[in-house]
Amino acid sequence: MQTILLILGINPTNSSKGHYNHGLFNAAIVTLESKYHILTTAVAEDCIIEKEIDKFKQADIVIYQYPIYWYMPPAVLKEYIESVFTYNIFFTENNDGDYASGGLMNGKKFMLSTTWNSPAKAFENQKAFFSGKTPNDILLPMRKAHIYCGFKELPHFSCHNIVKKPNFDNDKERYKKHLHNILLS
C-alpha cells in the first residue's frame, strides 16, 4: 500500500479560522484512506522536524492543502518547508549535472490544493488582474521548490472566490472527483 502525506498549511487567526481548508483536508483523508496509508501534518501545530522528515521519506505522494495569502503560501507553511527541506536529505549539490539536478526525493509526487479569494475568471484573461496567468503560474515558486528536490508534479487543484461567494459543498465534490481521477482510477 502506498503512503500519502497530507499537509494542512493553515495558520488560523481571528479573521480566518481555516474551516474551508480544513474541510478539504478532511475530505481528502476520507476519500483516500481506503487505498492509501495516510500520514498527516498540521503545520500550525508544533512540528518535530525529524518526524516530519521521516514522514516525507515514507510518503510516495505529498498533498498540500492551504490558502493563498497575498499570492503566496501562508508564512507558517513556508517556514515549515524551510525547516524540513534539509540539505543531503531533500537535495544535494550535483557538481556533474545541470542546476537543480541534485534532488533526493526522486520517485515521489506532489500536489497542491489551494483556496483563493480571487474568482476563477480573474485568471487567463489578459486584461484582468493576473494578466492571463493561471493559478499554476502563480504557484510557480512552490512548484519549483519541490521539483528542485526531485518530486514530480501531479495535477493541482484550486477553489476560487471562497470569501465572497463560497460554495464549499461544490468545491468538496470537485476535489473528491479530482482525487479520484488522479489517484483512485
Side-chain angles (χ1 to χ4, degrees), residues 33-54:
E33 66 187 352
S34 66
K35 300 283 185 191
Y36 293 91
H37 174 67
I38 304 293
L39 302 172
T40 62
T41 290
V43 300
E45 298 172 5
D46 290 331
C47 294
I48 299 169
I49 300 305
E50 292 77 21
K51 287 184 179 181
E52 297 306 310
I53 290 170
D54 189 55

Side-chain angles (χ1 to χ4, degrees), residues 124-132:
E124 300 179 18
N125 178 342
Q126 291 295 330
K127 295 180 182 179
F129 178 78
F130 292 107
S131 304

